[in-house]
Amino acid sequence: MATEQAAITRATFDEVILPIYAPAEFIPVKGKGSRVWDQQGNEYVDFAGGIAVTALGHCHPALVDALKSQGETLWHTSNVFTNEPALKLGRKLVASTFAERVVFMNSGTEANETAFKLARYYASTRHSPYKSKIIAFNNAFHGRSFFTVSVGGQAKYSDGFGPKPADIIHVPFNDLHAVKAVMDSHTCAVVVEPIQGEGGVLAATPEFLKGLRELCDEHQALLVFDEVQSGMGRTGSLFAYQHYGVTPDILTSAKALGGGFPVSVVLTTEEIASAFHVGSHGSTYGGNPLACAVAGAAFDIINTPEVLGGVNARRERFVKHLQNIDTECDVFSDVRGMGLLIGAELKPQYKGRARDFLHAAAHEGVMVLNAGPDVMRFAPSLVVEDADIDEGMARFAAAVKKIVG
Ligand SMILES: *Cc1c(COP(=O)(O)O)cnc(C)c1O
């Protein structure tokens, strides 16, 4: 009884949750658009977007409607039976991208796990069982299952869990010569984020992605784009590959896809998809009707000229604010990224302190992200209002001034 009645506070986290996160001191309880309120009724401007997830803000009426009406109709079938929301969403993705086949999963990790397994399976069944080498990049992030975290480029996340999946090699991002040096006939796939998100908001150069495409073609390897963070309108194109004009063989997306409902997708061609057969891979929840109904509603809004076309004007507004803060406080060495995935690297004297800026910002009433210890990251709603940008950046400026003194 006592436990049930005790108030839920931040201290409860330390009592009941594994110590793998260090969440902020306040607990959000409500959101609307780009504003969030905590248990005490304090209001925040949200530029974190649940890590590039709530692309249409909180509780968008169209998403709430989709969730409610599907919630009163059919929640779950498993993949023993297919369902209409998944098939509708699949059609939309096929109609709007290079994809001829898609498969739904529940998280970025699972989409990548699926993609990497598909790439390995395709190479081993169509070419040779020895064609298993995966080339990936330093500082890349692809998820937290043991395979995906091993393809990711930060050993500190994959160390300590026993023997790692073999035949994965990491080279520097944006360095085509480094890729050339390790590319060979045993390579099954090159896996790359068109914009490294967690790794510091670093965009690939167009020459790099074009070069990877050519190398993959030359060595019969698959080019896999991880657009878990950069996809679904984040860059102002539906997917970043469309902005670059470089088409991958397999693409994964998640985060913004469900606007806050967990869902992910793998896109590929018919020819590659056909390497898999019934039983090759699967998921109980993948393509769940609730998730796909919400994602379908989000897709219809994001994939419009109004939303995609508004991304870069909003970016400019953010960048102008960041430049003004830098003029006043001399704090950023670089402002980068694409569309509404914005990185601001801290000057050497503030290196390692991104989390301090994040906490100071929350204290001033604005939620922001970091990307590693040295880079501030902004991944707001794609439809964030100008007034919210101005108010949130005024609060961020106040936080920066507190730290810089
Ligand atoms: C967030 C992210 C992932 C992992 O997604 P989860 O939904 O957390 O499993 C994978 N790749 C990239 C590029 C990401 O940003």
Side-chain angles (χ1 to χ4, degrees):
M1 259 324 247
T3 329
E4 273 171 41
Q5 283 170 2
I8 296 291
T9 67
R10 175 61 178 74
T12 317
F13 178 91
D14 298 326
E15 287 165 27
V16 300
I17 307 292
L18 262 69
I20 58 174
Y21 304 110
E25 285 306 316
F26 67 94
I27 300 183
V29 293
K30 195 178 114 168
K32 185 74 198 147
S34 287
R35 304 272 171 153
V36 166
W37 290 266
D38 70 14
Q39 288 178 312
Q40 285 70 38
N42 299 310
E43 173 251 3
Y44 303 81
V45 177
D46 184 4
F47 292 156
I51 317 191
V53 167
T54 49
L56 295 171
H58 296 277
C59 298
H60 189 288
L63 272 57
V64 172
D65 277 351
L67 186 63
K68 278 188 179 162
S69 76
Q70 190 61 41
E72 288 165 353
T73 311
L74 184 69
W75 284 31
H76 178 75
T77 58
S78 86
N79 287 298
V80 176
F81 310 94
T82 188
N83 70 79
E84 291 184 357
L87 298 177
K88 281 186 199 161
L89 181 60
R91 253 198 194 149
K92 288 175 196 186
L93 285 158
V94 166
S96 310
T97 68
F98 76 95
E100 296 161 336
R101 293 289 186 272
V102 308
V103 67
F104 296 108
M105 293 283 150
N106 310 290
S107 66
T109 295
E110 284 170 287
N112 283 330
E113 182 83 19
T114 307
F116 305 163
K117 282 178 71 180
L118 176 59
R120 281 256 175 99
Y121 205 79
Y122 179 81
S124 104
T125 53
R126 297 291 161 88
H127 297 290
S128 144
Y130 300 105
K131 194 173 172 66
S132 58
K133 186 200 278 185
I134 293 177
I135 299 175
F137 297 95
N138 297 343
N139 285 320
F141 186 78
H142 300 299
R144 297 292 202 145
S145 69
F146 203 26
F147 190 9
T148 58
V149 83
S150 301
V151 175
Q154 288 206 58
K156 68 171 187 213
Y157 292 137
S158 53
D159 287 346
F161 299 101
K164 297 183 191 184
D167 219 6
I168 301 164
I169 188 163
H170 296 96
V171 294
F173 185 65
N174 270 337
D175 184 344
L176 203 55
H177 291 291
V179 180
K180 252 182 214 159
V182 296
M183 190 96 184
D184 58 17
S185 63
H186 297 306
T187 304
C188 72
V190 175
V191 176
V192 66
E193 294 160 273
I195 306 160
Q196 284 194 339
E198 304 304 308
V201 192
L202 272 176
T205 63
E207 305 75 55
F208 180 61
L209 294 185
K210 286 192 182 105
L212 292 182
R213 179 69 276 174
E214 285 162 17
L215 282 173
C216 283
D217 291 342
E218 212 174 295
H219 295 273
Q220 295 182 298
L222 300 183
L223 182 59
V224 181
F225 278 4
D226 178 347
E227 293 221 33
V228 168
Q229 191 157 165
S230 64
M232 287 311 298
R234 186 61 45 195
T235 64
S237 309
L238 186 60
F239 291 102
Y241 89 86
Q242 294 162 323
H243 167 86
Y244 281 96
V246 176
T247 303
D249 300 296
I250 302 177
L251 181 151
T252 57
S253 199
K255 295 201 163 93
L257 182 66
F261 202 103
V263 59
S264 65
V265 70
V266 181
L267 310 181
T268 192
T269 63
E270 184 183 349
E271 141 69 10
I272 295 164
S274 71
F276 269 180
H277 49 81
V278 173
S280 298
H281 188 64
S283 159
T284 298
Y285 292 117
N288 167 290
L290 271 180
C292 291
V294 177
F299 188 96
D300 288 343
I301 299 171
I302 291 173
N303 194 30
T304 57
E306 299 79 68
V307 171
L308 295 178
V311 165
N312 278 309
R314 287 174 170 82
R315 174 189 177 80
E316 278 165 31
R317 204 172 184 97
F318 268 99
V319 168
K320 202 166 284 166
H321 280 294
L322 287 168
Q323 285 165 344
N324 290 342
I325 291 171
D326 189 47
T327 305
E328 212 175 321
C329 299
D330 194 31
V331 63
F332 303 127
S333 56
D334 191 20
V335 174
R336 62 189 182 223
M338 279 169 65
L340 284 171
L341 185 53
I342 302 163
E345 183 166 14
L346 297 168
K347 282 237 159 101
Q349 59 268 40
Y350 303 109
K351 279 240 167 5
R353 296 195 59 195
R355 291 284 293 187
D356 295 343
F357 283 86
L358 184 157
H359 288 303
H363 197 75
E364 296 299 324
V366 58
M367 296 152 80
V368 303
L369 299 167
N370 63 309
D374 308 327
V375 179
M376 303 313 300
R377 175 172 40 152
F378 304 84
S381 156
L382 306 183
V383 295
V384 57
E385 306 275 347
D386 284 351
D388 290 332
I389 300 177
D390 295 346
E391 175 62 28
M393 287 313 271
R395 294 179 189 182
F396 184 65
V400 171
K401 273 177 213 155
K402 282 223 167 117
I403 289 195
V404 170

